[in-house]
């Protein structure tokens, strides 16, 4: 293959882009491994003997473990609930020609249009009515509003990939539509269901605003806990960086597992890549 | 009609989602409307609030902070969109070219580009807050090493908003890149080959072939990103808290300040109505533009 000068330029630009994307991630992990006396040094200490002190202090002396457990509880509960609700509807949207399908789509999407902080304004009354402050069930339910629209369209795009002929064969054999969904589509869509679940899980772990408003001492989540490090008295970069890294790592691992389908989620299934 | 036909009614499949979203959106919307018409600060029980008519709307629309927040949101949304979409499309064209030339490494690039958008926004805010630190931050260290003057960044009313926009661009440009790379790879090859034979320049090929073909995708991105940017407050909360002064107080952040820090939930409700109307109008408008050719 002939190598053009423009190929070399492409690679140079690509390397710059990699540095631009990776540097903040690298820098935060580096800070989390730095001995605390080096945190504010000038020039920054690029080389040092890494230590786990910051992680030990975060895990033992802060509420991180409690808050992370809360994040996981809420994310798991919400993921199960939203998949259970979304799968039949995704099947329906994939297989049936509804009258007014455009309007249904727009309406489902519109659940995502209000800013979460604005949503919190009327929900203050509803949450108080049901005694839902500092209760993980509140977040499990509230996260349906931003997550469900994405999950429905993502699942629909996975079910679209399964041939209608298989459904029809099942129907000819005397299956009901629900039977076809259960015995044909569910097993074939399993990889899609897993990808969608992980996507929903990531979105729930990352959420901040609603958890910040509605959770209190016992069920505050890890993202809310992170903001607790910012005080007028000053900030401890080491533990902050360690907490940030601990929140980020599991999510990055999940994201790499579903990397081929991530864009599908962010774009509501309009792009399959 | 027998039982099986009834159970297989297509609408039955939609009931779970429709019911959930109806319960999740209709009562809050009614309550929101009610809240904007009463006088409500957080210490009163919500059933005994005095009705004040349109007073909250008058208060909100006569406050200069409302317009300030709208202007800040406008700058934030427009600049972020402009940078993300142009930069994202540019990088996607580069990746696409590398794929077409069968240069190795595009797969790794695409994997790396996934990372920023899945990191929790508050964690992204944390990265940038630390890097922008005025005296010990690594960005100022780089400026200093290059012999440039160091900057106050988040401490400056002029620089704070661009700094937040840059963090936003870091997190979300990859979404545009990955979407457009996928979109470009699905384009039919024949028109491009024909244009090649006719000796069309790259710019003409882009304007006449690439752009019209990827236009629907660009509009889909435009709708999704506009709605998300209008709602944004996570990184702002951790980076500046809306400050210094009101320099980074977007509409969403203004709702937080009014409703949950000044405890004027009634006026916060009015601001939420404004935010909702803007989002719905823009989404509809872009949708219409996308349909029209």
């Amino acid at each position: 293959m002939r190598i053009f000068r423009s190929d070399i330029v492409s690679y140079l630009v690509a390397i710059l882009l990699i540095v631009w994307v990776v540097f903040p991630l690298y820098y935060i992990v580096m800070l989390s491994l730095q001995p605390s006396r080096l945190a504010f040094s000038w020039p920054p200490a690029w080389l040092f003997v890494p230590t786990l002190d910051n992680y030990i202090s975060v895990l033992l002396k802060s509420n991180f473990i409690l808050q992370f457990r809360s994040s996981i509880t809420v994310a798991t509960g919400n993921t199960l609930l939203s998949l259970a609700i979304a799968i039949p509807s995704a099947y329906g949207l994939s297989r049936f020609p509804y009258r007014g399908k455009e309007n249904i789509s727009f309406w489902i999407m519109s659940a995502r249009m209000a800013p979460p902080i604005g949503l919190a304004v009327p929900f203050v009354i509803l949450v108080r009515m049901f005694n839902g402050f500092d209760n993980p069930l509140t977040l499990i339910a509230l996260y349906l509003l931003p997550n469900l629209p994405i999950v429905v369209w993502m699942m629909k795009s996975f079910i679209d990939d399964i041939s209608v002929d298989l459904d029809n064969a099942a129907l000819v054999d005397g299956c009901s539509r629900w039977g076809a969904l259960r015995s044909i589509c569910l097993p074939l869509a399993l990889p899609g269901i897993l990808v969608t679940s992980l996507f929903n899980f990531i979105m729930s772990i990352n959420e901040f605003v609603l958890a910040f408003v509605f959770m209190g001492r016992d069920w505050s989540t890890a993202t809310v806990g992170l903001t607790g490090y910012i005080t007028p008295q000053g900030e401890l970069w080491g533990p902050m960086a360690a907490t940030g890294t601990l929140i980020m790592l599991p999510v990055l691992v999940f994201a790499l597992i579903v990397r081929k389908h991530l864009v599908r989620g962010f774009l509501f299934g309009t792009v399959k890549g | 009609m027998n039982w099986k036909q009834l159970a297989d009614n297509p609408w039955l499949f939609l009931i779970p989602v429709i019911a959930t979203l109806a319960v999740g959106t209709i009562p809050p919307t009614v309550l929101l409307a009610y809240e904007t018409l009463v006088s409500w600060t957080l210490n009163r029980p919500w059933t005994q609030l005095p009705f004040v008519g349109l007073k909250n709307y008058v208060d909100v629309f006569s406050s200069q902070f409302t317009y300030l927040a709208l202007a800040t949101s406008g700058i934030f949304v427009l600049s972020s969109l402009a940078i993300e979409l142009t930069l994202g499309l540019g990088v996607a064209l580069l990746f696409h070219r590398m794929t077409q030339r069968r240069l190795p490494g595009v797969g790794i690039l695409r994997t790396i580009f996934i990372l920023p958008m899945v990191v929790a926004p508050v964690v992204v805010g944390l990265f940038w807050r630390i890097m922008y630190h005025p005296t010990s931050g690594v960005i100022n260290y780089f400026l200093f090493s290059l012999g440039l003057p160091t900057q106050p960044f988040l401490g400056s009313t002029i620089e704070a908003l661009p700094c937040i926009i840059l963090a936003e661009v870091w997190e979300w440009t990859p979404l545009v890149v990955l979407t457009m790379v996928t979109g470009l790879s699905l384009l039919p090859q024949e028109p491009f080959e024909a244009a090649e034979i006719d000796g069309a320049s790259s710019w003409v090929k882009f304007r006449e072939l690439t752009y019209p073909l990827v236009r629907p995708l660009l509009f889909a991105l435009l709708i999704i990103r506009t709605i998300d940017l209008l709602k944004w407050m996570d990184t702002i909360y951790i980076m500046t808290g809306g400050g210094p002064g009101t320099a980074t107080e977007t509409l969403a952040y203004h709702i937080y300040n009014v409703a949950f820090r000044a405890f004027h939930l009634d006026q916060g409700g009015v601001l939420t109505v404004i935010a909702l109307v803007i989002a719905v109008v823009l989404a509809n408008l872009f949708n219409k533009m996308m349909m029209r050719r």
Side-chain angles (χ1 to χ4, degrees):
Chain A
M1 188 177 82
R2 270 187 63 204
I3 305 237
F4 293 104
R5 194 159 45 180
S6 57
D7 293 341
I8 296 166
V9 175
S10 300
Y11 273 113
L12 287 178
V13 176
I15 289 168
L16 272 179
L17 288 170
I18 291 177
V19 172
W20 158 252
V21 167
V22 172
F23 182 78
L25 298 159
Y26 165 77
Y27 188 67
I28 213 79
V29 175
M30 185 190 97
L31 274 185
S32 75
L33 295 168
Q34 235 171 24
S36 52
R37 66 192 158 77
L38 294 177
F40 288 88
S41 57
W42 179 280
W46 298 108
L47 293 170
F48 53 87
V49 183
T51 160
L52 289 177
D53 287 356
N54 292 318
Y55 289 94
I56 293 167
S57 100
V58 164
L59 292 175
L60 297 182
K61 289 183 206 145
S62 78
N63 291 329
F64 180 78
I65 292 185
L66 205 68
Q67 288 161 343
F68 200 66
R69 194 197 63 182
S70 162
S71 293
I72 302 276
T73 310
V74 169
T76 310
N78 175 263
T79 303
L80 293 176
L81 191 60
S82 83
L83 264 290
I85 294 170
I87 287 175
S89 307
Y91 179 83
L93 285 168
S94 169
R95 295 300 192 241
F96 302 120
Y98 292 100
R99 206 184 315 145
K101 207 167 183 171
E102 285 287 300
N103 294 332
I104 303 172
S105 316
F106 193 80
W107 184 71
I108 294 180
M109 294 276 276
S110 71
R112 277 184 65 82
M113 285 182 190
I117 191 69
L119 211 63
V121 174
F123 269 108
V124 164
I125 292 177
L126 290 167
V127 170
R128 189 182 286 179
M129 241 196 281
F130 291 101
N131 251 331
F133 278 104
D134 206 12
N135 182 341
L137 291 175
T138 305
L139 285 190
I140 291 177
L142 282 182
Y143 285 178
L144 286 175
L145 285 177
N147 293 355
L148 206 48
I150 291 191
V151 169
V152 168
W153 295 116
M154 204 172 170
M155 266 329 295
K156 174 186 176 288
S157 84
F158 280 116
I159 294 177
D160 282 344
D161 291 347
I162 300 168
S163 164
V164 190
D165 298 341
L166 295 172
D167 281 39
N168 292 339
L171 292 177
V172 169
D173 286 350
C175 254
S176 70
R177 275 287 178 182
W178 292 89
L181 166 59
R182 200 182 58 229
S183 53
I184 306 290
C185 273
L186 275 192
L188 288 173
L190 205 57
I193 293 174
L194 272 169
V195 168
T196 312
S197 305
L198 284 178
F199 192 83
N200 188 100
F201 195 83
I202 293 173
M203 288 192 296
S204 303
I205 293 262
N206 287 355
E207 208 279 340
F208 163 70
V209 174
L210 293 171
F212 175 63
V213 173
F214 291 113
M215 294 299 108
R217 216 185 43 201
D218 296 340
W219 286 96
S220 165
T221 61
T223 47
V224 178
L226 183 66
T227 62
Y229 281 104
I230 291 169
T231 62
Q233 285 79 40
E235 31 198 78
L236 296 164
W237 281 4
M240 271 164 85
T243 308
T245 309
L246 286 172
I247 299 174
M248 173 173 91
L249 275 185
V251 167
L252 289 185
V253 171
F254 288 161
L256 290 179
I257 298 173
V258 300
R259 66 179 183 279
K260 292 222 168 75
H261 307 282
L262 213 59
V263 170
R264 202 189 276 234
F266 282 116
L267 279 166
F268 301 88
T270 41
V271 172
K272 302 190 171 171
Chain B
M1 194 190 274
N2 62 28
W3 182 86
K4 199 175 131 187
Q5 276 171 320
L6 197 68
D8 280 358
N9 185 315
W11 289 97
L12 227 49
F13 288 80
L14 284 191
I15 283 177
V17 162
I18 290 182
T20 311
L21 291 182
V23 169
T25 55
I26 295 168
T29 311
V30 173
L31 270 176
L32 182 68
Y34 164 75
E35 281 176 31
T36 62
L37 300 174
V38 295
S39 168
W40 188 27
T41 47
L42 208 55
N43 46 19
R44 290 217 198 103
W46 71 277
T47 41
Q48 295 158 26
L49 305 170
F51 183 77
V52 293
L54 293 177
K55 180 176 176 298
N56 292 318
Y57 287 85
V58 174
D59 285 350
V60 165
F61 280 105
S62 58
S63 157
Q64 57 165 2
F65 292 109
T66 306
Y67 300 100
L68 215 56
L70 282 170
T72 309
S73 265
I75 297 172
F76 174 68
V77 174
L78 286 178
S79 347
S80 306
L81 278 176
I83 302 174
E84 282 170 23
L85 291 177
T86 45
L87 192 67
L89 185 58
V91 174
L93 286 169
L94 174 81
F95 283 15
H96 183 57
R97 193 182 165 279
M98 289 173 78
T99 316
Q100 283 193 320
R101 297 265 305 122
R102 298 182 194 287
L103 299 178
V106 180
I108 298 167
L109 277 169
R110 287 176 66 161
T111 304
I112 287 175
F113 266 62
I114 279 170
L115 303 177
M117 59 190 178
V118 294
V119 177
V122 281
V123 176
V124 173
L126 178 84
F127 292 167
W128 290 91
R129 184 189 167 95
I130 289 177
M131 293 196 298
Y132 281 134
H133 194 278
T135 54
S136 318
V138 68
I139 301 180
N140 264 333
Y141 173 73
F142 287 145
L143 290 180
F144 176 79
S145 312
L146 295 171
L148 298 166
T150 59
Q151 299 295 325
F153 292 124
L154 300 175
S156 142
T157 47
I158 301 167
E159 290 173 14
L161 191 59
C163 284
I164 286 178
I165 292 171
L166 189 68
E168 184 67 34
V169 166
W170 179 83
E171 185 166 18
W172 293 108
T173 306
L175 177 65
V176 181
V177 174
L178 296 179
T179 308
M180 296 315 297
V181 166
T182 310
L184 288 169
S185 71
L186 298 175
L187 297 186
Q189 286 310 304
E190 296 81 21
F192 289 91
E193 281 157 14
E196 195 78 46
I197 293 165
D198 293 347
S201 72
S202 321
W203 168 244
V204 170
K205 272 191 283 182
F206 175 78
R207 202 189 53 201
E208 300 296 331
L209 292 173
T210 316
Y211 176 72
L213 290 168
V214 298
R215 193 171 167 274
L217 258 188
L218 272 176
F219 267 97
L221 279 166
L222 184 67
I223 295 172
I224 289 162
R225 290 303 303 141
T226 306
I227 290 174
D228 275 358
L229 283 163
L230 283 169
K231 303 195 298 192
W232 204 247
M233 71 168 272
D234 304 29
T235 53
I236 303 176
Y237 179 84
I238 203 161
M239 286 167 78
T240 62
T246 53
T248 53
E249 193 169 321
T250 57
L251 186 57
Y253 211 90
H254 190 52
I255 296 176
Y256 165 66
N257 274 340
V258 169
F260 294 99
R261 294 191 64 201
F263 295 120
H264 278 290
L265 281 122
D266 41 16
Q267 293 180 17
V270 175
L271 290 164
T272 303
V273 171
I274 297 175
L276 253 176
V277 169
I278 293 175
V280 171
V281 167
L282 285 181
N284 260 314
L285 186 75
F286 291 151
N287 219 352
K288 288 233 169 66
M289 283 165 73
M290 178 162 68
M291 298 302 170
R292 207 187 56 206
R293 301 245 35 173

